Amino acid sequence: MTVMSPAALRSCYGRGVGELHVFCGTRHAVGQVGMAGSFVLLLLVGLGSGGCWEVPALPCTLYNSCECGFRPDLNALDCDLARNVYGQHMVREQLVKAVKTFVETERPSKPLVLSFHGWSGTGKTFVSSLLVKHLYRDGNRSPYVHRFSPILHFPHAQNVNQYKDDLKLWIQGNLSACSRSMFLFEEMDKMHPGLIDVITPFLGPSWVVFGSNYKKAIFVFVSNSGGEAINNVALNFWRERKDREEIQLNDVVPALTKAVLADQEHGFWQSDIIKQNLIDVIVPFLPLRPNHVRHCVRSELEQMGLASEEDVVHSVASSLIYFPEGENVFSSTGCKTVTFRINYYL
């Protein structure tokens, strides 16, 4: 790990925090695509603290990285994760490393496939928005970034076969238009089992998409499933008086994977994506401690242009429910309800 120079550190912490955007994306595909509906992006914003290590920004000329507005700035991504994401050391470590390796590979053998897991309110949606922000010139407004919600796009179990056809056409059409496309699947724990398998060929090394190197694409799966297993690991570390930063991937992944595979209502239930080991990196999100919640409150107050009043910070943090009962170690909703509660206490 390289420690940033003072100038680079100032650059990192001198960047402005992200703005809140609600955007309905337009479809961008070649040929006939049957997917209906627009994609709604709701980005949660936070402000954090932490050190930065230096990851060189990649020039546009590197491996045609500017195609489709793909302009990765991994140093900015690392800075944003360090400043604005709380208590998630594994997220920063795993995500920056995986994306850096993938982007710097001229001819990747397969698309990059990431799977985010964790309790509600721990930052999964926010981190996915930061990833998009620092990989595409137009950020979350990019027409080459596609979000899917099972509730919005695949609501009816009786229509699964039609959804499969639509999804396959959608992905193939958009990969033909842009090999650097990104596809984000939210709430995988609510996805109809079997539906997601239709994209399995796009995740491996041997599929062919005419006129496109689909292996440059990025797929992100987001799920609450496995969150309880992650919470149990974090709780055991706390009870043993170990620092949460000592938690490593191999402490979490076995229990997390077991929980996901046992969930018969999860989108990955008996999925070929799992059987063929097509997920490159599992990214676990730890439950948030009260001090992390206080950081969220201060950050939100700053976003609102208000002074960080400690009485409001204390009131909001104290109003949340913590678990386990009697120990009150972790927030049961993370930072998810912080904005609403701030408006109540102002």
Side-chain angles (χ1 to χ4, degrees):
M1 182 174 73
T2 303
V3 179
M4 296 184 102
S5 65
L9 195 61
R10 285 194 297 273
S11 175
C12 172
Y13 283 87
R15 295 180 185 270
V17 295
E19 298 176 346
L20 179 67
H21 299 292
V22 178
F23 167 66
C24 295
T26 56
R27 288 182 287 174
H28 191 289
V30 172
Q32 182 178 1
V33 178
M35 184 68 67
S38 59
F39 301 111
V40 180
L41 308 184
L42 178 59
L43 311 183
L44 304 178
V45 183
L47 177 65
S49 60
C52 290
W53 65 74
E54 190 162 11
V55 181
L58 300 174
C60 270
T61 56
L62 182 61
Y63 314 136
N64 297 318
S65 62
C66 285
E67 57 188 311
C68 311
F70 188 78
R71 305 183 68 169
D73 187 345
L74 301 188
N75 193 47
L77 173 62
D78 185 48
C79 287
D80 240 348
L81 292 172
R83 293 178 60 206
N84 302 327
V85 180
Y86 308 104
Q88 305 296 357
H89 64 284
M90 286 186 291
V91 173
R92 183 180 168 202
E93 292 168 2
Q94 296 299 317
L95 192 58
V96 174
K97 180 181 178 181
V99 174
K100 180 177 185 293
T101 300
F102 180 72
V103 171
E104 290 183 345
T105 302
E106 183 174 4
R107 294 181 179 86
S109 60
K110 64 182 292 295
L112 177 62
V113 184
L114 307 170
S115 191
F116 294 176
H117 295 266
W119 208 250
S120 177
T122 52
K124 300 183 299 296
T125 300
F126 179 50
V127 168
S128 69
S129 75
L130 293 183
L131 183 61
V132 173
K133 172 185 174 183
H134 295 301
L135 289 184
Y136 292 87
R137 179 186 58 218
D138 297 325
N140 287 284
R141 289 189 172 90
S142 172
Y144 307 108
V145 177
H146 312 277
R147 287 184 183 261
F148 299 88
S149 163
I151 296 175
L152 180 62
H153 301 111
F154 317 115
H156 306 297
Q158 65 270 25
N159 295 335
V160 165
N161 288 333
Q162 182 61 53
Y163 296 150
K164 287 182 178 181
D165 293 340
D166 290 345
L167 183 57
K168 182 177 179 179
L169 284 172
W170 178 271
I171 291 181
Q172 185 154 336
N174 281 284
L175 285 175
S176 298
C178 174
S179 62
R180 286 289 188 183
S181 295
M182 180 185 289
F183 303 92
L184 298 106
F185 294 86
E186 300 173 339
E187 299 183 296
M188 280 297 297
D189 44 305
K190 297 184 173 104
M191 183 81 72
H192 300 297
L195 195 164
I196 201 66
D197 274 358
V198 74
I199 75 168
T200 299
F202 298 107
L203 307 184
S206 58
W207 190 253
V208 175
V209 177
F210 180 74
S212 173
N213 182 4
Y214 78 99
K215 297 174 185 177
K216 293 182 179 180
I218 298 175
F219 292 80
V220 182
F221 301 107
V222 180
S223 173
N224 289 345
S225 188
E228 188 171 351
I230 297 171
N231 293 351
N232 287 336
V233 171
L235 184 59
N236 288 336
F237 268 70
W238 179 82
R239 285 172 174 166
E240 294 171 7
R241 301 181 181 233
K242 294 180 180 178
D243 192 343
R244 70 188 277 130
E245 278 69 33
E246 294 179 33
I247 300 175
Q248 298 300 312
L249 207 58
N250 57 7
D251 296 315
V252 177
V253 168
L256 187 163
T257 303
K258 183 178 180 180
V260 172
L261 293 179
D263 186 351
Q264 298 184 23
E265 296 183 358
H266 195 281
F268 283 147
W269 169 248
Q270 296 185 338
S271 171
D272 288 337
I273 295 174
I274 303 299
K275 293 176 184 177
Q276 297 180 29
N277 297 312
L278 295 177
I279 295 176
D280 298 300
V281 181
I282 293 176
V283 184
F285 287 70
L286 298 174
L288 300 184
R289 296 276 288 129
N291 63 304
H292 301 133
V293 174
R294 289 191 289 271
H295 280 306
C296 288
V297 179
R298 295 187 184 101
S299 172
E300 190 61 31
L301 286 170
E302 184 173 328
Q303 293 285 331
M304 297 167 69
L306 303 174
S308 182
E309 301 179 15
E310 285 306 306
D311 57 336
V312 175
V313 173
H314 176 76
S315 296
V316 172
S318 299
S319 70
L320 297 181
I321 298 173
Y322 295 88
F323 71 94
E325 186 176 354
E327 292 178 289
N328 300 331
V329 181
F330 301 118
S331 169
S332 61
T333 56
C335 287
K336 195 166 190 175
T337 63
V338 160
T339 302
F340 169 80
R341 291 171 187 271
I342 286 176
N343 291 329
Y344 177 81
Y345 284 105
L346 285 177

